[in-house]
Amino acid sequence: MSFNKSLFIIFLLCGLSLGRLQATTLSKPLEGIILVLDPGHAVKNDAGKIINAGARDRRGASERDVVLHVVETITPLLEAQGAKVYVTRTRANPWRFGYTPQADNRGRAILANEVRADAYIRIHCDWNKDRHFKGFTTYYYRWASRSLAETID
């Protein structure tokens, strides 16, 4: 899949500190780390209506498809480094269902808490009509995650 728009990856990190990463072995630096990867958008309600469509570039590429491809690409790379990775949707199960976007958000947060994730990472590709905007955006929730967020950025 190719696209020439700026790719912004939004990371919402919950409690994983860089110190924990440094304490792991060199061969499997993410050994023991639990990650939830959340390719954004692709939410339908009970009636089958898309309630959180995401962005679409001028050629018609959907953000929900691009971020799913990104997650499918990075999941095996993270697993090879020793991480246990959960994903909120896959190519085999491309849609999430919720009554509202807020209910969908809560459900994914509950999943991350249930699996005791060290980091919950939301992947989004935001397009901007102005081609001068390029790069990555990293957000974090807890202050303890700041050093990891700065490393990713």
Side-chain angles (χ1 to χ4, degrees):
M1 177 176 288
S2 65
F3 50 92
N4 64 358
K5 294 294 183 178
S6 299
L7 174 66
F8 294 87
I9 300 179
I10 299 175
F11 293 91
L12 295 178
L13 305 173
C14 52
L16 180 62
S17 68
L18 189 56
R20 179 158 175 205
L21 283 176
Q22 292 170 338
T24 60
T25 64
L26 293 177
S27 63
K28 298 274 189 171
L30 299 178
E31 190 72 44
I33 301 295
I34 299 171
L35 304 174
V36 173
L37 300 183
D38 179 19
H41 303 290
V43 181
K44 289 184 178 181
N45 64 15
D46 287 344
K49 179 183 176 207
I50 298 172
I51 59 172
N52 194 355
R56 193 178 272 285
D57 79 357
R58 70 177 148 224
R59 291 189 186 104
S62 295
E63 178 180 6
R64 69 179 175 262
D65 298 330
V66 174
V67 295
L68 185 56
H69 178 72
V70 169
V71 167
E72 289 175 334
T73 302
I74 65 174
T75 295
L77 301 174
L78 294 166
E79 289 172 337
Q81 296 297 309
K84 172 66 176 165
V85 180
Y86 294 90
V87 296
T88 61
R89 63 187 187 91
T90 64
R91 188 116 2 236
N93 187 17
W95 295 98
R96 291 189 310 266
F97 292 89
Y99 294 107
T100 65
Q102 295 80 11
D104 177 56
N105 288 340
R106 273 191 304 277
R108 290 177 284 132
I110 289 168
L111 168 69
N113 288 329
E114 286 293 317
V115 300
R116 300 181 146 309
D118 294 296
Y120 169 65
I121 304 168
R122 293 178 69 177
I123 310 290
H124 288 268
C125 298
D126 300 325
W127 283 277
N128 192 307
K129 292 178 184 177
D130 186 341
R131 292 179 185 238
H132 293 97
F133 289 103
K134 297 179 180 176
F136 297 92
T137 305
T138 307
Y139 297 95
Y140 57 94
Y141 182 69
R142 293 196 173 104
W143 189 254
S145 299
R146 183 175 183 197
S147 62
L148 177 61
E150 289 173 343
T151 301
I152 290 169
D153 206 22

